[in-house]
Amino acid sequence: MKVAFFNAKSYDRYSFDLANERYQHEIVFFECHLSHETVSLAIGFSAICIFINDYLDAEMLEILAKGGTKLIALRSAGFNHVDLASASKLGVAIVRVPAYSPFAVAEHTVALILSLNRKVHRAYNRVREGNFSIEGLLGFDLHGATVGVVGTGRIGAIFAQIMKGFGCTLIGYDAYHNPSCLDQGMTYVSLPELLAQSDIISLHCPLTPDTYHLIDDRAIAQMKTGVMLINTSRGGLIDTQAAIDGLKSGTIGYLGIDVYEQESDLFFEDLSNRVIQDDTFQRLLTFPNAIVTGHQAFFTRQALANIADTTLSNITEFEQNGTCLNEVKVEKAIAAK
């Protein structure tokens, strides 16, 4: 198929060019985001491929459909950046990458925990300046700590397995009790119990209307003083202003996030020569006990290879069969919301 790739970074080009040696699609890469201003570039392409910070509303989908686009290939698991109902009415199929490397995300979660606990970010800067004092760098043993895992799917289960290796006590919150987590000795509890008992809370659940701002003022008030809160899942799970208030009060002793609820205008771009206008985000960066990474938890060689292969396989399957196992069905997607 003739495929237009939007928001294509150098690493996207490399991984997709490599994978396409097998699939032989006609790929054209565009560095720009897909937007109202750039959607005309996609006219004439039977398929387009977009990332999580490209948005497709009803107007853009209509332009694409009229231009001959039959397939939207998402190189991500999430699909809330596409108007699914409009796509369905226009006969435009949506396919996604449901999983690429749960190990990558789980391991980055642990990296945030270790960095925050042992103040690696602060120690790094001190040593570079010739300051070898260890005042203020006191951490705690992970062994024996209680780790609360909110969402125990594939990523949450792998994260739990790693933390079990540190000697942590595992508690979980999920409607489905994952057998692999039970095998690790996890005890499932209610969300209020998890918030009250955990020394470390890690979020690994999808973003739905029910989980939007799952961590808000009320939830934070139920946590232990000095709790460590980690989010490598979806930015909207945390009310950022509530998290800031929690950091100021000391209830949140450590905050590590790889996602942010207003990240679409920030992450994946070099803004080092600009003044960032998001005051809430800028306030978040002032806390010495907070670490923010720019949605890089997925970013490993293996994950990129899996994303490229699955995406191109989805396109091939749709081209050959008119449907795809990884197609997002609008009825199920709306029900899930």
Side-chain angles (χ1 to χ4, degrees):
M1 293 183 80
K2 187 178 180 182
V3 188
F5 274 69
F6 285 86
N7 197 5
K9 308 296 186 185
S10 60
Y11 45 82
D12 295 313
R13 292 171 181 261
Y14 175 80
S15 59
F16 276 94
D17 279 340
L18 193 63
N20 198 40
E21 292 177 5
R22 173 185 175 188
Y23 295 99
Q24 295 296 304
H25 292 290
E26 181 184 348
I27 296 177
V28 177
F29 292 105
F30 296 104
E31 292 185 10
C32 57
H33 290 271
L34 182 63
S35 65
H36 285 272
E37 290 72 29
T38 63
V39 68
S40 60
L41 294 172
I43 294 174
F45 287 87
S46 51
I48 67 168
C49 183
I50 62 173
F51 196 45
I52 56 174
N53 52 349
D54 297 304
Y55 291 87
L56 272 174
D57 60 19
E59 182 182 343
M60 294 167 68
L61 282 162
E62 188 169 350
I63 293 171
L64 290 172
K66 288 180 179 178
T69 298
K70 300 294 183 183
L71 177 68
I72 309 295
L74 310 177
R75 52 186 192 271
S76 62
F79 46 80
N80 56 352
H81 51 304
V82 178
D83 186 334
L84 298 177
S86 295
S88 180
K89 290 177 184 177
L90 292 165
V92 178
I94 311 293
V95 295
R96 69 184 184 118
V97 182
Y100 28 89
S101 178
F103 299 100
V105 179
E107 290 167 7
H108 189 80
T109 305
V110 178
L112 288 173
I113 290 171
L114 290 170
S115 297
L116 282 164
N117 178 27
R118 303 311 298 266
K119 319 292 192 298
V120 174
H121 56 304
R122 300 181 66 188
Y124 173 80
N125 288 327
R126 282 190 189 184
V127 170
R128 287 176 64 86
E129 295 171 356
N131 178 359
F132 303 101
S133 168
I134 60 173
E135 290 284 351
L137 303 183
L138 186 67
F140 61 90
D141 288 355
L142 289 179
H143 184 87
T146 298
V147 176
V149 186
V150 180
T152 57
R154 292 185 65 191
I155 296 172
I158 292 168
F159 168 73
Q161 181 181 8
I162 297 171
M163 299 312 293
K164 180 67 174 180
F166 279 101
C168 298
T169 299
L170 302 175
I171 58 176
Y173 170 70
D174 198 311
Y176 172 72
H177 293 188
N178 191 329
S180 69
C181 291
L182 293 171
D183 290 342
Q184 296 296 325
M186 177 179 286
T187 301
Y188 280 90
V189 297
S190 68
L191 183 59
E193 289 177 300
L194 183 145
L195 297 175
Q197 295 176 23
S198 299
D199 301 303
I200 301 169
I201 298 170
S202 190
L203 307 180
H204 299 285
C205 52
L207 180 62
T208 68
D210 288 337
T211 61
Y212 176 72
H213 283 184
L214 181 71
I215 305 300
D216 56 10
D217 286 322
R218 186 168 57 178
I220 292 170
Q222 299 175 64
M223 297 177 184
K224 284 184 178 182
T225 299
V227 68
M228 181 183 291
L229 177 62
I230 308 290
N231 186 13
T232 55
S233 188
R234 293 289 184 267
L237 297 176
I238 294 180
D239 179 339
T240 308
Q241 187 55 57
I244 289 172
D245 293 340
L247 285 164
K248 290 168 67 177
S249 70
T251 302
I252 298 177
Y254 314 79
L255 177 68
I257 61 173
D258 184 59
V259 288
Y260 170 60
E261 57 182 327
Q262 302 297 332
E263 70 180 51
S264 60
D265 294 329
L266 299 173
F267 289 1
F268 305 109
E269 305 299 334
D270 182 359
L271 305 179
S272 57
N273 291 318
R274 303 184 192 178
V275 175
I276 294 176
Q277 299 299 314
D278 187 332
D279 293 341
T280 302
F281 183 78
Q282 292 289 69
R283 180 70 179 97
L284 198 59
L285 297 181
T286 65
F287 291 95
N289 53 340
I291 294 180
V292 180
T293 54
H295 207 134
Q296 69 178 77
F298 79 99
F299 198 52
T300 65
R301 288 189 297 273
Q302 293 86 344
L304 288 182
N306 291 338
I307 290 169
D309 187 74
T310 303
T311 300
L312 295 177
S313 175
N314 287 343
I315 294 171
T316 298
E317 186 179 345
F318 180 83
E319 181 183 29
Q320 294 175 348
N321 304 323
T323 185
C324 176
L325 181 64
N326 292 326
E327 186 172 349
V328 180
K329 298 296 185 182
V330 63
E331 298 85 1
K332 292 182 179 179
I334 291 174
K337 291 182 178 181

